[in-house]
Amino acid sequence: MYAILNAFWKICLFRLAPQDLPSSNVLLALSLIIYGLCSIVVGLMSLTPALALASGIVDVLIVSGLTFLLLWVRDLGARFTQTLTALAGSGAILAVFAAPVLWWQVQQPEVMPMVSTMLMMGLLTWNLAVVGHVLRHALSTKFFIGILIALVYLYVSISIISSLFKAAGAG
């Protein structure tokens, strides 16, 4: 377990790439479950429990679908398991860092809003860089292209989730 967490951490630090992970469907399933749980926890800060659960499921479906689509377009489907495992595992680790900052923003919006906003911007930038790093290796392209694809992924993900769950009364 420690070795896997360490590998995800090293992906977050750009020291490992998705191809350094084992191609295991069990590891992929565990990574997606943990990623989904982290997404639900983050969603609970602004959504009802039922909507947070739905949001977490949609988030897992989006990351899975976009990863499949990107690799399918480039005819690199054999890299799907390792790429999605890397995205889910590193995303879960980054969510652990984001959750307390989001909680702080929700609970104490008037206390140092600039500090919490700057922390969230830093975490968002780190997340984009990690997703770009993973996609760069998965697609055998340049880091800059990986970052651009990560930006599109983030835009699509936020657009879908906010249109589904803000309309549902999430606030």
Side-chain angles (χ1 to χ4, degrees):
M1 186 65 168
Y2 172 77
I4 295 299
L5 286 175
N6 192 37
F8 289 140
W9 177 244
K10 286 183 176 180
I11 288 172
C12 291
L13 297 176
F14 314 106
R15 293 184 183 154
L16 289 181
Q19 63 267 26
D20 296 317
L21 295 173
S23 181
S24 163
N25 288 330
V26 173
L27 181 59
L28 172 61
L30 285 172
S31 299
L32 286 174
I33 289 169
I34 293 169
Y35 177 79
L37 290 173
C38 289
S39 181
I40 292 168
V41 168
V42 169
L44 283 171
M45 295 185 205
S46 60
L47 301 170
T48 65
L51 289 177
L53 175 63
S55 173
I57 292 169
V58 168
D59 192 15
V60 168
L61 292 174
I62 290 170
V63 73
S64 300
L66 289 177
T67 302
F68 177 81
L69 182 65
L70 282 171
L71 294 171
W72 177 76
V73 166
R74 295 280 315 262
D75 198 23
L76 297 169
R79 298 180 181 182
F80 178 74
T81 301
Q82 289 171 302
T83 303
L84 186 55
T85 302
L87 289 173
S90 61
I93 286 177
L94 293 173
V96 168
F97 286 101
V101 178
L102 285 170
W103 182 84
W104 182 30
Q105 280 186 328
V106 170
Q107 297 300 315
Q108 306 279 332
E110 68 283 345
V111 178
M112 298 193 295
M114 184 64 120
V115 173
S116 63
T117 301
M118 293 297 287
L119 285 171
M120 284 310 300
M121 292 303 294
L123 286 168
L124 178 64
T125 302
W126 186 15
N127 188 26
L128 283 171
V130 170
V131 172
H133 167 72
V134 169
L135 294 177
R136 163 183 62 163
H137 285 280
L139 299 171
S140 299
T141 189
K142 296 180 179 181
F143 183 63
F144 175 72
I145 302 297
I147 294 291
L148 287 177
I149 295 170
L151 281 168
V152 171
Y153 160 76
L154 181 66
Y155 175 78
V156 169
S157 179
I158 288 173
S159 296
I160 291 172
I161 289 178
S162 62
S163 68
L164 286 175
F165 298 102
K166 285 202 182 215

